[in-house]
Amino acid sequence: METTKPLTNVSVESFYEYLKQNPLAVVPQFNFDNLEHNIAQEMERYKKEYNKGEEQFVTQMLTENPIAIPSRTATNFYTSSSEESVDDHLRRRRSEASRKSRFQSKINKAKYRYRHQYICANNMKNIKKLENLWNIIRLAETELLNKGCSTNELKRLRTKCGIDRLQRKNNVEKDDNMRNIHS
């Protein structure tokens, strides 16, 4: 019989990899008592990593795709400040402020666009990970049933792990998404 190493210091990625390699070994070794606390810690770590990755992506995209704002009017460089009237000075300051505002607006729009790209790419990765996790859970359940586990034991294990609650929530979200698509 193959021995498996115990599961310690759980992160989502390591847990996912561990489940892929040992779908049945994790059940007796994982402490489900601290599950909510572990999930909260992991979510906090994931949020920090996600925000850092998003900022890096946006910064990288802004440096790769610089934003250029053409000037709307030709500037007269030959007037000296002593010849400039008060109205000209105010007009120049307003035009500079307007130019800065347009530039800042363009930067903000680009940031939103790049954040949207980053979020969409991450959502696709997460959807694939979740689908793979559900497949691993189905495989583990099938193997447990094949090895003689009763359906009542399987239901108790699903309840203890919170899988039944997650699956109900997942089904409700899918139904809501389908209703939104068809309406």
Side-chain angles (χ1 to χ4, degrees), residues 61-79:
M61 293 303 288
L62 285 173
T63 55
E64 288 176 3
N65 306 310
I67 299 170
I69 305 288
S71 177
R72 290 188 178 178
T73 60
T75 309
N76 185 359
F77 292 107
Y78 300 108
T79 59

Side-chain angles (χ1 to χ4, degrees), residues 87-99:
D87 289 336
D88 289 339
H89 179 68
L90 289 175
R91 192 176 321 117
R92 185 178 310 252
R93 288 189 59 178
R94 277 195 302 265
S95 68
E96 286 175 16
S98 176
R99 196 174 308 114

Side-chain angles (χ1 to χ4, degrees), residues 5-168:
K5 58 184 178 185
L7 186 62
T8 57
N9 196 11
V10 179
S11 72
V12 172
E13 287 81 16
S14 64
F15 187 61
Y16 175 69
E17 288 302 317
Y18 188 83
L19 277 178
K20 279 175 58 177
Q21 295 169 0
N22 311 304
L24 295 177
V26 74
V27 175
Q29 298 170 355
F30 189 73
N31 181 6
F32 293 101
D33 299 334
N34 300 358
L35 189 61
E36 294 295 325
H37 178 70
N38 290 344
I39 289 173
Q41 281 182 328
E42 184 62 23
M43 288 301 295
E44 204 51 45
R45 185 189 67 78
Y46 183 72
K47 283 179 189 178
K48 288 177 184 174
E49 279 185 19
Y50 183 84
N51 289 338
K52 183 180 175 185
E54 180 182 294
E55 284 302 316
Q56 288 174 346
F57 179 79
V58 169
T59 303
Q60 177 187 354
M61 293 303 288
L62 285 173
T63 55
E64 288 176 3
N65 306 310
I67 299 170
I69 305 288
S71 177
R72 290 188 178 178
T73 60
T75 309
N76 185 359
F77 292 107
Y78 300 108
T79 59
S80 67
S81 59
S82 62
E83 297 174 5
E84 192 174 272
S85 71
V86 174
D87 289 336
D88 289 339
H89 179 68
L90 289 175
R91 192 176 321 117
R92 185 178 310 252
R93 288 189 59 178
R94 277 195 302 265
S95 68
E96 286 175 16
S98 176
R99 196 174 308 114
K100 286 179 185 177
S101 175
R102 282 195 320 272
F103 186 70
Q104 196 61 40
S105 177
K106 293 260 184 183
I107 289 173
N108 288 338
K109 285 180 185 178
K111 283 183 179 180
Y112 289 133
R113 186 173 55 247
Y114 297 141
R115 280 192 180 109
H116 179 73
Q117 287 176 359
Y118 184 80
I119 290 168
C120 288
N122 271 346
N123 283 345
M124 292 307 295
K125 289 179 194 173
N126 291 338
I127 287 170
K128 289 177 184 175
K129 281 183 183 179
L130 284 173
E131 287 173 354
N132 287 335
L133 279 173
W134 283 115
N135 289 336
I136 290 169
I137 290 170
R138 281 189 218 102
L139 174 69
E141 288 176 345
T142 304
E143 287 186 32
L144 283 170
L145 288 172
N146 290 340
K147 290 187 177 185
C149 181
S150 71
T151 54
N152 288 337
E153 289 174 311
L154 193 59
K155 285 180 184 177
R156 185 178 52 77
L157 186 60
R158 289 175 69 87
T159 304
K160 188 175 183 180
C161 298
I163 293 173
D164 57 343
R165 182 184 53 179
L166 291 173
Q167 195 164 22
R168 280 194 304 261

